[in-house]
Amino acid sequence: MRILSCVLLTLVAAVLVASTSVAAEITDVTGRKVEIELPAKRILLGEARQIHVAAALKGKHVFDTIVGWRDDLIKKDPDSYDGYRERFPAIEKLPRFGYIPSGDFSLEAAIALKPDVLTLNLEAQQAIEESGFIDRAAAAGIAVVYLDFRVDPAKNSERSVEILGQIFGAEARAKEFIEYRRAQIAVVTERLAKAGAIARPKVFIERSPGITGEFACCRTFGPANFGEMVEKAGGHNVGSDVITATFGDLNPEQLVVANPDHVIVTGSNWSAESDVNQFVSVGRGADPDAARERLKGLMQRPAFAALDAVKAGRVHAVWHQFYGAPYEFVPIQQFAKWFHPALFADIDPDRTFREFHEKFQPIAYRPGYFVSLSDGGE
């Protein structure tokens, strides 16, 4: 009886500790200091794709404290949404809202959910603050915290993971996540450093072709985000020669002159938003044959036919959503295999991402995040 009483007391104490929030201060990625009770008990995700991080931190309990989220996951990445819905069927009823800078967000509806905190992406900061949203949210008792996995991931991703660790009461797990991410990136960067001076192939990485505009070309990346991943993988991002911001455009003539050694396009299942349906659908559980056919079709555009990369079949697709989640260790490993196949012959990014899911994610892994035109390119 005495042992049973001790066990019960221990359990009660654990529950009390877990349910206790304390006043704290978070410094978000903009440097704003935000007062908040931690861990937060009612969380509103200003971008639903932040679930890729939250789930890695909270596992099967990830939706215990989320009271609503933006509608971007179901629109822009429905394959991932289906993965979470299979594991957590109740999320079909989780309240959704639109994008604040687009005017699709109802603060009144958000207030009704009584959230402690709203997590927003950095790229929305200017529009949000010019609208006076921060003050109105604060008046309703909602703390606003900015995160960034997209504009400057090298600077802000680890801090953003730490912030979500604080908000969800999973700081130790956030540290594990960060250490795993660093180690997997180092698999590539340390080997490249030991290899010394190697030829860096020129790489053009095109952002989301085939969503809209039949022959639109060529949205790309500057030195951050996918541009930085290319460089870390031992390539040279040709977009960085022209663009200084995270995102920008080359014109077709600039692409022809650059004549890259590899072409990579970003793709996802954008069937809910596309007006031309020529995008390459890669991602969780994607059909590689269907994706490859779409990739072939995109290379029929006039600017691409003359490129050495296209003639040699060094054409690839990568899951677009890597650009907004701190999973860049996966594309960095895949890019390194594409750019330097002999040096990275033993690296298996599919195995890495599967292992990551087994260690951190509450949903099952399904391959499909890459495709190449050349045989064995994936």
Side-chain angles (χ1 to χ4, degrees), residues 40 42 48 103 123 148 169 176 204 217 230 235 282 286 317-319 322 328 370-371:
R42 299 181 66 81
E123 63 264 34
D148 177 39
E176 288 180 41
F204 173 65
C217 173
V230 166
V282 284
V318 57
W319 186 47
F322 281 125
E328 57 269 72
F370 304 94
V371 72

Side-chain angles (χ1 to χ4, degrees), residues 201-209 216-222 226-227 230 235-240 242-243 248-252 254-256 258-266 299 301 303-304 307 309-310 314-318 335 338-339:
K202 295 180 295 182
V203 181
F204 173 65
I205 184 158
E206 188 175 13
R207 179 181 175 179
S208 57
C217 173
C218 304
R219 290 178 292 179
T220 188
F221 297 82
F226 270 119
V230 166
H236 171 64
N237 175 42
V238 299
S240 300
V242 179
I243 299 163
D249 296 277
L250 296 183
N251 61 51
Q254 289 173 310
L255 177 60
V256 171
N259 194 22
D261 301 302
H262 290 264
V263 170
I264 304 173
V265 307
T266 72
M299 293 304 107
R301 291 173 294 170
F304 289 84
L307 302 181
V310 177
R314 293 189 294 268
V315 178
H316 323 278
V318 57
F335 293 176
W338 287 337
F339 305 160

